[in-house]
Amino acid sequence: MPIFSKITKDDVIKAFQDRFGGEPDFWVRTPGRVNLIGEHTDYNGGYVFPMTISRSVWMGARARNDGKMRVYSVNYDSELTCDLRAQLVKNQDIWFEYIKGCAWALQEEGRPLAGFDAVLMGDVPMGAGLASSAAMEVTSLLTFSEIGEYELSGQKLAKLGQRAENQWVGVQCGIMDQTICALGQEGKALLIDCNSLEHRLFELPYGTAVAVLDTVTRHSLAASAYNERHEQCEEACRALGIPLLREATQEMLYAGRGGMTDVVFHRARHVISENLRVQTAANALFYNDADLFGKLMNESHWSLRYDFEVSCEELDAMVDIARKHESCLGARMTGGGFGGSVVALLSVMSAGTFAGYVSERYQEKTGKVPNITICRATNGGRVERKS
Ligand code: ADP
Ligand code: MG
């Protein structure tokens, strides 16, 4: 599969012309995201602190009047069609299910579905912990709403996207990815309370940059381990007699330790301490304290590695190497874990040599060529029409 970089609206229009002839009526762009801190807290009703990145999933679409949805995936070089007027049927494990899942979620809401031709293409690497799936869901939902001539708020987009992924695709993800992909803003990070869905934008500290370091490893363990961690968190809740781990304090956890296995205790300790770290990180941004933010990222990695046990050799190697560079204020694994990416906060003054330094040492250590990007936060999902 080709890996695209820096897709523009002109690429989308050209892909549409090549495939279907003529121009799309509109195009949609939704960025992926990187989570700065707050990992595995979203499905526990806790806090997360992601920002959008300058890589996106795009669709260019044109209405058709027979109720059919025909989508050509440029990344997969594959075209699939379904009839939106007939009962939607699930298939196994293919990219088209994310779009059908969104159609289903809209149907469940009583929204009308109208047909269209579309090209789909993205430069968010898939399965790298950068939320390509959520970007694709928000893009699909915006396409449906534009064709159907109704508006969906950012929060509605997030809920529908999560519903599609949970109930149609079958991944028990939390609400973070879809929320940031829909609501992110240029140059800002978004603190989200995943229980109330309240959210607040923050400027990144002055003089810093965010780097995403893709280890280019994907372990097949990831999906099953994710669901297992989710269950262990629920087990901790049962032992503590609470509905969500966000309600637990460290005191409650230590007092209730006798009622749970050691493994469950460590899982819960990660979630509880991570929630505290995110709130402290928000304070750090309020006071423009980049050093503190970086330290909290380092602690988060420790907790994910030893308490939650979702890191792996490559992620640990990347974190260690990144931290050795003079510009690095903090680094941690980001996303679900077991491969994927590391996020690092850098001081821009000395960041010029960071990518080369890390790339060389990571290759020496693992024999793999990493993908390193300095990221800029871009606006969340948007529709643009021909002018
Ligand atoms: P991520 O961490 O990137 O969200 P997921 O496993 O949740 O990883 O989602 C990746 C899946 O999303 C891919 O396997 C594919 O089905 C779908 N996807 C993402 N981006 C695209 C794209 N540009 N074109 C087609 N499918 C995509
Ligand atoms: Mg995903």
Side-chain angles (χ1 to χ4, degrees):
M1 193 189 333
I3 305 216
F4 299 107
S5 65
K6 299 207 179 89
I7 295 174
T8 64
K9 82 171 187 221
D10 292 336
D11 298 325
V12 179
I13 293 170
K14 166 104 182 24
F16 190 95
Q17 281 167 340
D18 290 349
R19 189 72 195 178
F20 302 119
E23 287 207 349
D25 296 336
F26 64 90
W27 44 92
V28 185
R29 182 195 67 84
T30 306
R33 65 97 188 95
V34 61
N35 191 18
L36 300 174
I37 193 160
E39 215 63 73
H40 288 277
T41 44
D42 63 346
Y43 55 81
N44 288 297
Y47 297 92
V48 293
F49 214 153
M51 71 173 221
T52 46
I53 57 176
S54 37
R55 288 167 173 266
S56 302
V57 175
W58 294 75
M59 261 194 189
R62 184 172 64 200
R64 49 189 286 165
N65 52 21
D66 60 358
K68 296 231 165 68
M69 161 169 85
R70 176 167 62 154
V71 184
Y72 173 63
S73 157
V74 181
N75 295 75
Y76 285 101
D77 186 20
S78 146
E79 181 179 296
L80 289 163
T81 304
C82 78
D83 188 347
L84 296 170
R85 291 177 187 163
Q87 176 88 33
L88 292 166
V89 184
K90 274 191 218 184
N91 289 315
Q92 288 289 303
D93 285 331
I94 45 172
W95 58 270
F96 199 45
E97 292 311 302
Y98 289 87
I99 310 175
K100 273 160 65 188
C102 291
W104 167 80
L106 285 166
Q107 253 177 6
E108 294 285 296
E109 287 271 306
R111 295 287 189 175
L113 297 174
F116 58 88
D117 286 332
V119 288
L120 165 72
M121 61 196 293
D123 55 17
V124 187
M126 299 180 204
L130 301 176
S132 71
S133 61
M136 182 170 167
E137 285 148 17
V138 171
T139 282
S140 306
L141 289 162
L142 285 170
T143 300
F144 283 113
S145 67
E146 186 69 13
I147 293 279
E149 297 178 356
Y150 50 86
E151 289 213 1
L152 297 168
S153 69
Q155 285 196 355
K156 196 79 206 170
L157 287 168
K159 282 188 178 159
L160 288 165
Q162 186 199 19
R163 186 162 186 199
E165 189 150 343
N166 287 169
Q167 294 180 36
W168 191 272
V169 181
V171 178
Q172 295 311 311
C173 61
I175 191 80
M176 164 171 67
D177 292 357
Q178 293 81 2
T179 305
I180 177 67
C181 291
L183 287 168
Q185 265 188 33
E186 199 172 328
K188 307 236 166 79
L190 189 70
L191 173 70
I192 309 167
D193 175 334
C194 295
N195 201 29
S196 67
L197 294 189
E198 274 172 37
H199 48 85
R200 198 169 133 205
L201 289 159
F202 284 79
E203 299 277 347
L204 288 173
Y206 183 75
T208 63
V210 172
V212 174
L213 318 162
D214 182 354
T215 62
V216 298
T217 48
R218 317 277 185 261
H219 294 294
S220 54
L221 226 73
S224 59
Y226 187 97
N227 289 338
E228 186 193 60
R229 295 299 181 282
H230 200 147
E231 281 159 24
Q232 288 164 338
C233 292
E234 285 172 355
E235 209 176 313
C237 285
R238 281 194 295 277
L240 297 174
I242 49 173
L244 282 169
L245 266 183
R246 84 166 267 142
E247 292 180 18
T249 61
Q250 288 174 324
E251 291 73 21
M252 282 164 72
L253 177 67
Y254 280 90
R257 185 171 188 168
M260 59 184 82
T261 63
D262 249 18
V263 168
V264 169
F265 167 79
H266 284 281
R267 303 297 186 249
R269 190 166 75 167
H270 163 71
V271 175
I272 296 166
S273 63
E274 185 78 349
N275 270 328
L276 289 171
R277 278 187 290 275
V278 181
Q279 292 170 80
T280 313
N283 266 330
L285 286 198
F286 188 74
Y287 290 107
N288 200 34
D289 187 343
D291 290 330
L292 176 57
F293 199 97
K295 282 193 189 108
L296 292 161
M297 290 168 81
N298 289 341
E299 281 180 17
S300 168
H301 187 76
W302 190 97
S303 180
L304 287 157
R305 181 174 177 178
Y306 295 108
D307 268 351
F308 218 63
E309 295 184 281
V310 287
S311 190
C312 64
E313 242 174 71
E314 293 87 350
L315 285 166
D316 292 338
M318 189 71 99
V319 162
D320 286 344
I321 294 166
R323 283 180 191 162
K324 289 200 177 90
H325 191 264
E326 57 177 334
S327 68
C328 185
L329 302 168
R332 58 179 284 272
M333 56 155 281
T334 185
F338 300 103
S341 302
V342 162
V343 60
L345 187 70
L346 308 180
S347 162
V348 279
M349 293 287 282
S350 48
T353 53
F354 179 79
Y357 175 96
V358 174
S359 180
E360 196 179 302
R361 280 160 187 77
Y362 182 75
Q363 277 178 68
E364 268 168 26
K365 175 115 200 179
T366 63
K368 295 179 180 119
V369 184
N371 244 320
I372 300 178
T373 330
I374 307 285
C375 290
R376 199 171 47 81
T378 56
N379 282 327
R382 294 279 193 282
V383 180
E384 220 184 299
R385 273 204 173 256
K386 277 191 294 196
S387 47

